[in-house]
Amino acid sequence: MKPSDTPDFEAENVRLRARVAELEAMMGRPPADRSSLYRLTDRAPWGVLVTDLEGGVDYANPALKPWLRTTAPAIGTHFETVVHPPLLTQLLPALAEARAGHVKMLEADVADVSGDLRHIRVQVAPRAAGAMGITGFVVTVYDMTEWTRALEAVREKEAWFDRMNAVAPSAYHVFDFVTGRAFWVSGRIDAVYDISPEDMMALSAAEVRDLIHPDDRHRIDTHMKALSTLPDGTVAEFEIRARRRDGTYRWLLIRAIAFERGAEGRVVKALSSASDIDERRRADERQALLINELNHRVKNTLAAVQSIARQSLRRDRDPQEMSEIFTARLVSLSAAHNVLTRESWEGAGLREIIEVAMAPFDAPRIAMLGPDVRLGARAALAMSMALHELATNAAKYGALSNETGHVSLAWRARREKGQAFLELEWREAGGPAVTPPSRQGFGSRLLTQGVRADLNGVAELSFEPGGLVCRITAPLEATPPLHLS
């Protein structure tokens, strides 16, 4: 706001000129004694200088003292001899325009008689007396120094506040609980609330309330009631969800203090800051879920290791053989874990699971054909362990135990009546003749029971003359990624 925007000085000056003109018109001539008239300006906080047409001083009020080389009212002197030269330099061109009947306004930084640089606003106006025409001039000097300094200080603080807003992620507002509307807003309103400051100020009470998630509205009432019982300056801190323009909600951290109190100390206005903590809140939730899921996976892994150890370290086996079997199964389990870790345990591609599981064996003799079907974490582990057992069995007793055998591993995804299925076939050929085992070992149980439990599917083992055939069928929708829950 500029000094020229303040109407009080202008209105008072117009009133004084009008009063002078009115009195002189009533008298028909310039009054010989104007002391009663000039007393009106004796207590004015701005300087007033009244001269005749030749420049003789009719009156100077006490507020003009910083701009006079003599004491007020300086009656009978010539204004050019008593007005401080720096001010006189500003007045002379303006007096020339006033002599032509114009009112001249100017602003300048001018040193007063003490040498202090002051910011002043000067108005020079012709003094008229009806039919007598212009009889002199009225000069009004407004010292705007303190006002402009205060304005500059406010602007400087606003500039600092704008700089802070540029780096601070918060929105600020004063909320009126009587009207239910925002009283003042600033900061990152658009970023935090997804609404412009102007639109925020225009929201009705119902629209403001509609911004808050229904389950969180009671938190505001609860904390404001609590704040009413606490000393001023106490901060209430709570979290709410605010609706954005796309209909989604984001978590905000609200920090509020009492701004204005009503009857019985009740908070009627609160100054608040709001920060978007949605990512932090969701990260905390993910971290908690990850810890829970980690505990679950550790328990499952320990159970799997325990089962592998129990089935691998049987008394009827040679210790060296037991060690090799146990180690190989743990390596297979570890390899599957590595794949899933790279995928943040959200699942893995079937082709990568197969390639990793077959890597320790004679991979060139294993033909793989099929699309890269996506499996969930639990299903990927089950499939990896099943394939390891098939390959281990083939390397010991089946198609990979000699120099001529080979394995065909093929899979496909099909859809039947809206349901997607995974079909995988392991077929051995060229190896020694196979016969059904006399008892079911760990590998067989892992294939049949593991597929049923972890894939919600079935595994069929067929000991055909050409070699072992294993067919696995499982619904893909029944094996989603292992969600954190």
Side-chain angles (χ1 to χ4, degrees), residues 24 30 51-54 95-102 125-138:
E24 291 188 349
T51 73
D52 59 23
L53 198 58
E54 287 72 33
L95 283 168
E97 293 195 29
R99 190 177 295 276
H102 305 299
R127 182 164 61 114
M132 296 178 61
I134 297 175
T135 60
F137 309 98
V138 177

Side-chain angles (χ1 to χ4, degrees), residues 453-477:
D454 296 329
L455 289 171
N456 196 27
V458 293
E460 299 175 350
L461 295 175
S462 177
F463 296 89
E464 299 181 4
L468 175 68
V469 177
C470 177
R471 298 182 181 88
I472 297 175
T473 303
L476 284 175
E477 283 79 6

